[in-house]
Amino acid sequence: MTFSAELETRFEKLLKSYPAGRERAAMIPMLMYAQDEIGSITDELVEEVARRVGVTSLQVHEVVSYYSMLHRKPMGKYHVQICTNISCLLWDADKLWEQATKKLGIGHKEVTADGQISLEEVECVGACSWAPAIQVNYDFHHFVTPEKLDQLLDSLGKKQ
Amino acid sequence: MLYNEPSPLETRILSRRFGLPNSAALDTYLATDGYQAFRKAVGMKPEDIVNEVKISNLRGRGGAGFPTGMKWSFVPRTSPKPKYIVVNADESEPGTCKDRLLIEYDPHQLIEGCLIAGLAVDAHKGWIYIRGEYRYLIEIMDKAIGEAYQKGWLGKNIQGTGVDFDLYTHTGAGAYECGEESALLESLEGKRGVPRIRPPFPAVVGAFQCPTILNNVESICAVPPIILNGGQAFADLGVPKAGGTKLTCLTGHVNKPGVYELRLGFPVMQMINEVGGGMRNGKKLKAFIPGGSSCPLLTAAECEGATMDYDSMAARKSMLGSGGVVVMDEDTCMVKAALRIMRFYAHESCGWCIPCREGTTWLRKVLIRFHEGGGTREDIDLLGDVAKNMLGRTFCPLGDAAALPTISIVEKFREEFEDHLNGRPCPFEHAREAVLV
Ligand SMILES: Cc1cc2nc3c(=O)[nH]c(=O)nc-3n(C[C@H](O)[C@H](O)[C@H](O)COP(=O)(O)O)c2cc1C
Ligand code: SF4
Ligand code: FES
């Protein structure tokens, strides 16, 4: 598999970040950074990472199935993650979730037909004091109101 | 830009650089006493560094509150194995969002803390394990680490002192359980986040089977000020047996939610009413979580006279926890709150041991049934029973973390469960069916 030059540099650095013989430690960061580039954890990627860190594909699959941010299927171009955990719930995050599902016509871990937006109801993302919070890919949105969510989804629907 | 206005009632020690222009830059750090504590520590005997941390009465800020100096003293400094420093920046305890700020605004303080910890136990390598969702913090941390290498504050022969230290970031990939220290170490090694049996503790057998200091971000960030100003000065800020300040994340129904650095021992009601600007919409306080959703809840009456420290919370059969304060007003449905909390633990249970895996699943199911109006009187006792049977019977503390808040809610707000049965279903709003599995 070929990756961008930046990603290759990152991989090279990662493989040197752990004690000798412990290259397996680079597996999860490699999967995360590669997923950002190619969109999901494909079988091909699993094999490639397994080869590079020196384990079997099965050992990589076993890890992939544990972590909630590693996706076997591609999410939308803009992955909208709405936290409904306790601090956000107290600021009506469940209503935001309902608003988003209605507006987009998709549910948990589903993608719009044009592949533009996906939704996920997530656990606490570490923005509790600025609730309710949403993450779009890795960007945080704090103090989200129904109006702000509406505008956000409109703009993501059109964004290149 | 800060996420919330600071409060005049804060005591800003760890957060004193928050809000400075370019606060994350090395130049800013150096201009504000940065790396002076490291210079001082280089001239100290390792046991004196550990001793200073002991004198400071610093207790772990990740949730368990274990005395940091004591933990460091368990590391066999003279072991022929390499020793490592691992910083826990997994920050996933619901209600908690403070380590994020310590990294975003002052990454060099964390680097300096790692260097000093390294001197204390003769470690020359460390990793900062950052939750995957905090990708922007990994970029900030990597940039700060890069700058430190470039200017000779990391790497070989740091500033001509003869000290070597390498530091790396390591991303998580979405798993609350990986905040638990031994699961974190498994994850760091490229495995599923299933905890390890203890003893041996990480201080003796930690990362890559080597002795390891594993601390929360805030604990490590407290080390430079402790070394620079002396352990006693830090201890004096707090209460007996618990020194210093705590970054407190005020969340929920207050007018001014935000992260505030408060002295240990700060009165709960003053925190809500003055720091937090009082209850939102002038409502009454109903329930209070002191430090993340794993803590037993307090009623409004129990908050009277309570202070934000380990002993005051222990006296109320709760815990100071991680600093994630959750304030709930009189309109909050406690059945719904219990359900949301349990959905989290059921989702995050790693599945390794049965009492936790099955216990959280069944508690979640019973709470869903209850909240949807299909509960029975026996269910109320069943909730308490199942939760109590999990206590102390799980492989790691996540089981207790799930059981404790449930037990406290069922005991302290039993009448709300009864109201749900007596044809007065949820007086508030119905929860929709749970989505997360
Ligand atoms: C389920 C679970 C999740 C935890 N999550 C975190 C976390 O996100 N951050 C953290 O620092 N400690 C967390 N802890 C506590 C760690 O196990 C450990 O006690 C702590 O990182 C030690 O550092 P300290 O002594 O500086 O607090 C968690 C513990 C459990 C049982
Ligand atoms: S208590 Fe829960 S999280 Fe901990 S080992 Fe058991 S199943 Fe896993
Ligand atoms: S509860 Fe939503 S970000 Fe923490």
Side-chain angles (χ1 to χ4, degrees):
Chain A
M1 260 184 114
T2 48
F3 302 105
S4 68
E6 290 97 314
L7 192 56
E8 285 294 355
T9 315
R10 201 158 200 171
F11 281 177
E12 218 172 288
K13 210 179 141 213
L14 272 170
L15 287 167
K16 285 189 270 179
S17 301
Y18 308 94
R22 295 289 192 161
E23 287 72 22
R24 178 182 181 149
M27 185 203 298
I28 294 164
M30 283 170 87
L31 289 167
M32 283 284 280
Y33 297 129
Q35 173 174 266
D36 289 344
E37 189 163 297
I38 67 171
S40 65
I41 307 292
T42 60
D43 287 340
E44 199 189 1
L45 176 64
V46 166
E47 273 165 39
E48 182 71 19
V49 170
R51 195 177 59 75
R52 293 193 186 207
V53 303
V55 298
T56 63
S57 297
L58 183 65
Q59 286 170 305
V60 179
H61 278 297
E62 189 182 273
V63 166
V64 170
S65 65
Y66 179 89
Y67 293 93
S68 59
M69 290 179 76
L70 299 175
H71 300 290
R72 296 303 313 256
K73 279 191 258 144
M75 289 290 129
K77 188 165 174 196
Y78 299 101
H79 187 43
V80 177
Q81 300 145 83
I82 303 182
C83 170
T84 61
N85 208 314
I86 190 74
S87 301
C88 289
L89 183 71
L90 297 177
W91 284 85
D92 293 334
D94 53 343
K95 295 198 184 115
L96 294 179
W97 171 256
E98 249 159 63
Q99 182 188 339
T101 52
K102 282 209 187 95
K103 186 173 167 95
L104 299 171
I106 54 173
H108 183 56
K109 290 196 183 167
E110 289 177 357
V111 192
T112 54
D114 59 0
Q116 190 75 3
I117 304 180
S118 49
L119 270 184
E120 185 176 354
E121 183 183 17
V122 291
E123 296 298 357
C124 176
V125 290
C128 331
S129 284
W130 317 292
I134 289 181
Q135 254 193 311
V136 179
N137 298 342
Y138 291 110
D139 296 335
F140 280 95
H141 296 258
H142 298 136
F143 302 116
V144 179
T145 58
E147 297 72 43
K148 279 199 216 168
L149 176 63
D150 214 50
Q151 283 166 11
L152 176 69
L153 294 177
D154 281 338
S155 74
L156 294 177
K158 294 186 214 109
K159 204 167 157 183
Q160 271 312 297
Chain B
M1 239 270 295
L2 297 172
Y3 296 115
N4 57 268
E5 285 291 309
S7 159
L9 294 165
E10 286 182 80
T11 305
R12 295 181 54 181
I13 309 294
L14 276 67
S15 63
R16 70 193 179 285
R17 294 187 190 86
F18 290 13
L20 293 182
N22 286 323
S23 67
L26 178 61
D27 284 343
T28 312
Y29 193 63
L30 290 171
T32 49
D33 295 333
Y35 291 110
Q36 292 303 314
F38 168 73
R39 288 205 183 272
K40 186 170 169 188
V42 169
M44 291 167 72
K45 287 210 276 297
E47 50 274 30
D48 290 341
I49 298 175
V50 175
N51 210 33
E52 212 58 52
V53 177
K54 281 188 181 161
I55 292 169
S56 78
N57 279 339
L58 172 66
R59 294 176 60 169
R61 303 300 197 225
F66 192 84
T68 306
M70 199 193 293
K71 190 189 261 187
W72 289 17
S73 70
F74 296 153
V75 176
R77 198 176 183 279
T78 52
S79 157
K81 288 186 183 175
K83 273 75 62 183
Y84 297 128
I85 309 298
V86 173
V87 180
N88 189 342
D90 193 54
E91 187 155 79
S92 330
E93 174 74 19
T96 318
C97 50
K98 42 103 187 161
D99 297 337
R100 190 177 150 187
L101 300 186
L102 287 166
I103 294 180
E104 179 169 350
Y105 296 130
D106 205 351
H108 285 282
Q109 179 168 250
L110 183 57
I111 298 176
E112 187 175 13
C114 292
L115 288 175
I116 298 169
L119 289 172
V121 299
D122 193 33
H124 303 281
K125 221 187 246 307
W127 293 272
I128 304 172
Y129 183 105
I130 303 180
R131 67 178 297 184
E133 291 84 351
Y134 285 175
R135 171 61 58 82
Y136 82 107
L137 291 187
I138 296 181
E139 311 299 341
I140 291 173
M141 203 65 232
D142 279 343
K143 191 168 163 214
I145 289 175
E147 218 184 345
Y149 269 106
Q150 211 179 10
K151 301 282 167 61
W153 290 102
L154 279 173
K156 293 257 174 285
N157 190 17
I158 294 171
Q159 303 294 315
T161 57
V163 176
D164 300 340
F165 199 89
D166 288 311
L167 188 61
Y168 309 93
T169 55
H170 181 101
T171 180
Y176 166 66
E177 175 59 3
C178 290
E180 193 281 333
E181 58 182 16
S182 67
L184 183 150
L185 293 171
E186 287 288 293
S187 180
L188 176 67
E189 295 184 12
K191 299 175 202 154
R192 292 166 74 91
V194 172
R196 296 175 179 173
I197 193 142
R198 276 152 299 165
F201 289 94
V204 183
V205 183
F208 308 106
Q209 301 297 307
C210 292
T212 301
I213 282 187
L214 195 156
N215 276 120
N216 173 256
V217 172
E218 188 182 352
S219 312
I220 295 287
C221 287
V223 171
I226 287 170
I227 296 300
L228 197 59
N229 310 321
Q232 194 56 49
F234 191 80
D236 290 344
L237 294 170
V239 291
K241 289 197 281 171
T245 57
K246 178 88 196 76
L247 264 73
T248 307
C249 321
L250 261 179
T251 81
H253 296 146
V254 289
N255 282 315
K256 292 194 239 166
V259 176
Y260 305 99
E261 185 173 359
L262 305 174
R263 287 167 180 251
L264 278 173
F266 202 93
V268 168
M269 292 316 294
Q270 190 187 8
M271 176 176 73
I272 294 174
N273 292 326
E274 296 175 30
V275 180
M279 297 295 294
R280 192 180 68 171
N281 303 328
K283 297 278 183 182
K284 283 213 283 287
L285 174 66
K286 183 194 248 179
F288 176 87
I289 306 180
S293 67
S294 307
C295 303
L297 282 77
L298 303 187
T299 60
E302 288 171 313
C303 290
E304 293 296 335
T307 51
M308 291 297 286
D309 57 81
Y310 304 91
D311 288 350
S312 177
M313 288 304 158
R316 286 163 178 77
K317 298 197 165 52
S318 188
M319 306 179 285
L320 187 66
S322 63
V325 168
V326 185
V327 177
M328 303 184 198
D329 73 16
E330 55 188 316
D331 292 344
T332 313
C333 169
M334 297 313 289
V335 178
K336 183 169 171 176
L339 167 58
R340 187 60 190 88
I341 290 172
M342 189 49 63
R343 276 179 52 199
F344 170 70
Y345 292 104
H347 182 252
E348 300 299 331
S349 166
C350 83
W352 181 252
C353 66
I354 294 161
C356 168
R357 185 183 64 218
E358 296 301 311
T360 54
T361 304
W362 280 103
L363 286 172
R364 173 176 150 272
K365 284 185 184 167
V366 175
L367 282 163
I368 290 176
R369 179 162 80 214
F370 219 98
H371 199 255
E372 286 174 346
T376 62
R377 192 158 304 279
E378 292 74 51
D379 282 341
I380 308 180
D381 294 324
L382 183 63
L383 286 167
D385 257 18
V386 172
K388 281 182 190 148
N389 274 303
M390 289 165 66
L391 281 185
R393 293 194 174 86
T394 58
F395 194 73
C396 89
L398 188 140
D400 283 4
L404 287 167
T406 312
I407 294 170
S408 72
I409 295 176
V410 174
E411 275 176 3
K412 294 175 184 177
F413 300 96
R414 192 181 174 96
E415 69 285 357
E416 287 197 28
F417 287 82
E418 289 179 351
D419 282 349
H420 274 65
L421 296 177
N422 294 338
R424 243 184 84 201
C426 184
F428 312 108
E429 264 175 86
H430 257 285
R432 77 211 139 72
E433 203 154 325
V435 175
L436 289 169
V437 283

